[in-house]
Amino acid sequence: MPRVGIGFDTHRFRKGRALVLGGVTIPSPKGLDGHSDADVICHAVMDALLGAVGNGDIGRHFPDTDARWKGACSLDLLQHVVRLLTGDGWGVGNVDVMVLAEMPRLAPHVQAMREHLGRAMAIPVSGVSIKATTMERMGAVGRREGIAVMAVALVAPVTRTRGRRKGKRLTRA
Ligand code: MG
């Protein structure tokens, strides 16, 4: 059976930091604060993927108390999560991402983000949807204090045919 997972993340804006979203560095007077590169899109997608397979969350896999993840490229972390999944016999179907941000304008960067995420997850760009909306100036995001992201991911068991993996058949269906 295919399985779905949900992910959510928020990060505060902070001056002097680069704004990295979906692996794309976007020109902005402020970036997002965080232990890693604070790529809030990648973080929500990772939690959705881990949720789909019931394998904890990114806080467990990449604790912010661990110096290894300081300044980490979140696309690399996403790739790591996908490797965990595929190692357990799962394939990523698609992800749908909803970015809540008052600024900056994301539309010009959406296609590049989809390409980066698709590459990191080894799925076609058509399997990566990124949508953005504002909060109509309501709440913390509306006051431009930070960015929030929701993500949903679908994964499915992969049945490898004989011969592709030294004759090993994975039947997790
Ligand atoms: Mg995060």
Side-chain angles (χ1 to χ4, degrees):
M1 281 286 283
R3 293 169 65 160
V4 293
I6 186 171
F8 176 79
D9 196 23
T10 57
H11 282 257
R12 283 176 187 277
F13 281 122
R14 195 175 122 195
K15 275 187 186 153
R17 294 258 310 177
L19 179 61
V20 183
L21 291 174
V24 179
T25 303
I26 296 171
S28 166
K30 296 175 194 169
L32 294 172
D33 201 9
H35 187 67
S36 65
D37 62 5
D39 188 334
V40 65
I41 291 182
C42 284
H43 294 183
V45 168
M46 283 190 271
D47 264 346
L49 291 168
L50 290 168
V53 299
N55 189 359
D57 57 26
I58 57 169
R60 200 182 92 196
H61 289 273
F62 312 109
D64 61 10
T65 48
D66 189 331
R68 268 185 304 168
W69 315 123
K70 189 164 169 57
C73 168
S74 297
L75 273 183
D76 291 342
L77 305 185
L78 175 59
Q79 211 168 16
H80 179 85
V81 164
V82 170
R83 274 195 212 113
L84 281 179
L85 262 68
T86 50
D88 285 340
W90 297 99
V92 180
N94 72 297
V95 297
D96 189 16
V97 174
M98 190 79 236
V99 184
L100 308 176
E102 221 66 19
M103 59 139 205
R105 225 173 88 71
L106 299 181
H109 308 287
V110 162
Q111 185 58 21
M113 292 179 196
R114 294 176 68 205
E115 286 166 11
H116 277 100
L117 292 181
R119 214 173 299 135
M121 292 186 284
I123 62 170
V125 173
S126 58
V128 185
S129 159
I130 298 178
K131 313 186 301 294
T133 189
T134 70
M135 286 290 289
E136 297 284 337
R137 285 179 272 160
M138 292 182 288
V141 169
R143 290 190 297 272
R144 302 179 169 214
E145 291 174 18
I147 292 179
V149 175
M150 294 184 272
V152 171
L154 181 128
V155 304
V158 175
T159 307
R160 289 194 178 86
T161 49
R162 200 173 281 278
R164 275 188 65 190
R165 231 192 182 197
K166 291 179 184 168
K168 226 175 163 184
R169 192 190 282 266
L170 296 176
T171 46
R172 204 181 235 265

